[in-house]
Every structure is written in C-alpha cells, then in structure tokens.
C-alpha cells in the first residue's frame, strides 16, 4: 500500500482539532490573556506567550491572501489532483492558515484559475481536512429602466 502524505497524524494535543474537522467544524485557539486568535494550534499564545488559550469554533469565513497553482507533485495522492491551488488564507478571526482552494481549478488547456487577492472564501472539508472554496454571490437583479 502506498503511504498518504496529505492526511494528518493527530497527537494528544491536536486530536480535538482533527476530531472537529472530521465533524465539519474549524477550530482555532484564542488567548484569554491578550484576546488574540492564532492558528496553527499551540499550547501557548504566540503573541504574548500566555498558556491561557482555549479552543474556539471559527466562523469558516476567510479571504484569499496568496496562492500558487501546483502543476506537479509526485507524492501520493497528489499526482491525481494536479493542478491544485495551494494557498494562504486570512481567517475572519485574524490568523492566517495554509490550505488548498477547491473548485477553482481553472479552465481546460491549463489556464490559471480565476482567483484574486482578497476573494471571499468559506471553509469546506475533504476527508476531515479543512480546505476553502470561493463564495459564490448571486447575480444582482438588472437595473430598472426609466419610468
């Protein structure tokens, strides 16, 4: 059997994060001392070093900070997924996280996906791993003509 390089190996500390993700919830950590949220999960606040941090369910909303289209990756299962969009998103709660943008693979013939910095995103989950997709906005109704 081929090893998978895309699935997490939870430990005692991160198990709560991965269990929530398997249920379709994105968790972040928030500091009780300075009030700032952070991601990736740590047992202390990276801003003030307090150990008064706790889990919090994130809204799942984010904006696209930066991205790159990956056209080659030989590690399983990525060869079947290329091209894919590796990204850094800024969560509504403040922290940035590395992730993948799904549903923005671009057009046939290898064109780049239709993404722009600051694009609105929402969390989705693939095999218990948080990924993000662009938020589709309904088309505004046409403007009324002269009366």
């Amino acid at each position: 059997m081929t090893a998978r390089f895309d699935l997490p190996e939870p430990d005692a500390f991160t198990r709560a994060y991965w269990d929530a993700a398997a249920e379709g919830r994105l968790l972040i950590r928030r500091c009780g001392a300075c009030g700032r949220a952070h991601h990736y999960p740590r047992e202390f606040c990276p801003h003030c070093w307090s150990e008064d941090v706790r889990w919090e369910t994130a809204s799942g909303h984010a904006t696209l900070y930066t991205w790159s289209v990956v056209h080659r990756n030989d590690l399983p299962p990525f060869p079947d997924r290329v091209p894919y969009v590796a990204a850094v998103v800024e969560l509504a709660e403040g922290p940035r996280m590395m992730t993948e943008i799904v549903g923005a693979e671009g057009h046939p013939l290898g064109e780049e996906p239709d993404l722009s910095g600051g694009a609105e995103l929402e969390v989705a989950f693939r095999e218990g791993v948080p990924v993000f997709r662009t938020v589709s906005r309904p088309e505004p109704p046409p403007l009324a003509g002269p009366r």
Side-chain angles (χ1 to χ4, degrees):
M1 183 168 136
T2 305
R4 294 276 305 260
F5 295 93
D6 64 324
L7 297 177
E9 293 184 26
D11 59 25
F13 173 69
T14 63
R15 183 156 313 281
Y17 177 84
W18 294 115
D19 287 349
E23 297 169 359
R25 295 182 301 119
L26 178 62
L27 296 183
I28 57 174
R29 301 281 278 176
R30 185 166 303 273
C31 179
C34 72
R36 295 178 70 181
H38 62 271
H39 186 83
Y40 62 92
R42 285 164 267 201
E43 295 185 57
F44 63 90
C45 175
H47 306 289
C48 73
W49 295 83
S50 170
E51 293 181 1
D52 180 17
V53 290
R54 52 192 154 279
W55 293 108
E56 172 182 303
T57 300
S59 68
H61 298 286
T63 56
L64 184 58
Y65 181 73
T66 190
W67 74 97
S68 180
V69 180
V70 178
H71 293 278
R72 181 176 177 155
N73 186 337
D74 296 332
L75 298 173
F78 299 106
D80 296 332
R81 292 187 188 164
V82 292
Y84 63 90
V85 180
V88 175
V89 301
E90 188 166 304
L91 300 174
E93 292 78 11
R96 292 181 183 152
M97 72 180 279
M98 294 179 64
T99 187
E100 181 180 345
I101 306 299
V102 296
E105 289 77 18
H107 306 284
L109 306 176
E111 293 180 24
E112 293 297 305
D114 186 19
L115 293 171
S116 61
E120 293 183 53
L121 306 169
E122 62 188 3
V123 73
F125 294 87
R126 182 179 57 219
E127 296 184 55
V129 176
V131 295
F132 283 78
R133 61 181 170 224
T134 56
V135 174
S136 52
R137 297 261 179 223
E139 289 293 321
L143 296 174
R147 293 184 184 225

